[in-house]
Amino acid sequence: RQGDGGGGPTEPTVAAPTPMEDAADVVSDCGGGTFNIQVEFVSTGDATDVFDGTDSFPISGTSAIAGPYPIGTIVNLDVVHTDNACDFTIPGDFTDVCPPANDDFANAITFTCADASVSGNTENATLDEDDAPDAPGFNSDTDSPNVWYGFLGTGQDVTLSTINAGSNFDTEILIFTGSSGNLTYVASGYDESGAPEYLAEVTFTAEAGTQYWISVEGYNSGDTGLFQMDITCTGDPSYVYIAVSYTHLTLPTKRIV
């Protein structure tokens, strides 16, 4: 203790207990288009809330949950105390991204010849069906983040193209038939635009009634970005005729007396 010059003791200054942050994790809800941030503390001291600059979220026990926030929002969090001198900012920015809706083969988005184009983004996509067969000569293969589309053949010639202003990365278009884990290569396009864009275009005859699967991806594993895939169908559609057989039954008549 140190005297105050008047001979009497002075009370030492005691700092308010400061919380010790243990972890702050993003909790995704891609289906709902939102995310939360869960903050865990080793101890809370006199901390009362976490604050995102607009809203406060109370600390309960040794944790707090901030949110929900729309996917893609960037959030910074402060820890608020009874003694505001102890407030501090949790290091780092918090945000969340979700893969595209058609990231997986099982969630392929269907298009038809009536659609002029489909658009997408592979930046947050993952690689699905990486065991799909390569194009002959290994010019194109499924080895980069991809998204999936489905198309039911009409008997027409179908051209799919990313050669347009809506595409900004080196793209491949691969076409298959079959099922997950058992795909059969049909056709592919890559580099048809030439340098420097290296965009893709492919034309194939889509047999009427056959289900086709289309993967849009980058040429190399690190190639991702925005794309617009234009759809052009030429020729007259053909039809699948289903033979229907029936049996003519003769029912007995009942005589009324």
Side-chain angles (χ1 to χ4, degrees):
R1 292 187 299 180
Q2 182 178 1
D4 62 358
T10 59
E11 294 295 327
T13 300
V14 179
T18 300
M20 295 174 58
E21 176 210 344
D22 180 45
D25 298 310
V26 170
V27 181
S28 296
D29 178 14
C30 288
T34 63
F35 69 96
N36 291 290
I37 305 165
Q38 182 163 338
V39 184
E40 298 288 345
F41 299 94
V42 174
S43 63
T44 56
D46 72 335
T48 58
D49 304 88
V50 293
F51 179 61
D52 64 8
T54 302
D55 297 312
S56 294
F57 305 91
I59 296 173
S60 177
T62 57
S63 66
I65 297 177
Y69 304 102
I71 293 294
T73 304
I74 298 175
V75 181
N76 298 107
L77 292 177
D78 295 328
V79 180
V80 179
H81 302 67
T82 302
D83 179 358
N84 295 137
C86 297
D87 294 355
F88 69 90
T89 299
I90 298 174
D93 298 331
F94 296 92
T95 190
D96 193 24
V97 294
C98 290
N102 56 339
D103 184 47
D104 294 333
F105 177 90
N107 297 319
I109 294 174
T110 298
F111 66 79
T112 70
C113 287
D115 297 305
S117 65
V118 292
S119 298
N121 187 344
T122 64
E123 290 175 353
N124 299 315
T126 60
L127 173 57
D128 192 33
E129 302 293 330
D130 57 331
D131 59 349
D134 299 336
F138 302 97
N139 291 323
S140 53
D141 55 9
T142 306
D143 64 353
S144 60
N146 57 350
V147 292
W148 289 90
Y149 293 91
F151 174 76
L152 186 64
T154 60
Q156 296 169 279
D157 290 335
V158 180
T159 298
L160 305 176
S161 177
T162 60
I163 304 176
N164 52 60
S167 304
N168 66 2
F169 72 105
D170 188 350
T171 51
E172 286 184 343
I173 303 171
L174 295 105
I175 301 163
F176 304 96
T177 57
S179 57
S180 178
N182 189 32
L183 293 172
T184 299
Y185 173 84
V186 175
S188 63
Y190 78 105
D191 291 358
E192 279 71 27
S193 72
E197 296 88 358
Y198 296 110
L199 302 174
E201 184 171 290
V202 57
T203 298
F204 69 105
T205 300
E207 183 178 343
T210 296
Q211 179 65 59
Y212 293 90
W213 306 105
I214 296 94
S215 171
V216 181
E217 58 187 80
Y219 183 72
N220 294 308
S221 59
D223 293 330
T224 61
L226 300 171
F227 69 87
Q228 174 182 310
M229 184 169 68
D230 295 329
I231 304 157
T232 305
C233 299
T234 56
D236 294 327
S238 56
Y239 302 92
V240 177
Y241 294 93
I242 301 175
V244 178
S245 62
Y246 63 92
T247 302
H248 179 74
L249 298 177
T250 301
L251 299 177
T253 59
K254 182 178 180 181
R255 191 170 69 174
I256 299 175
V257 178

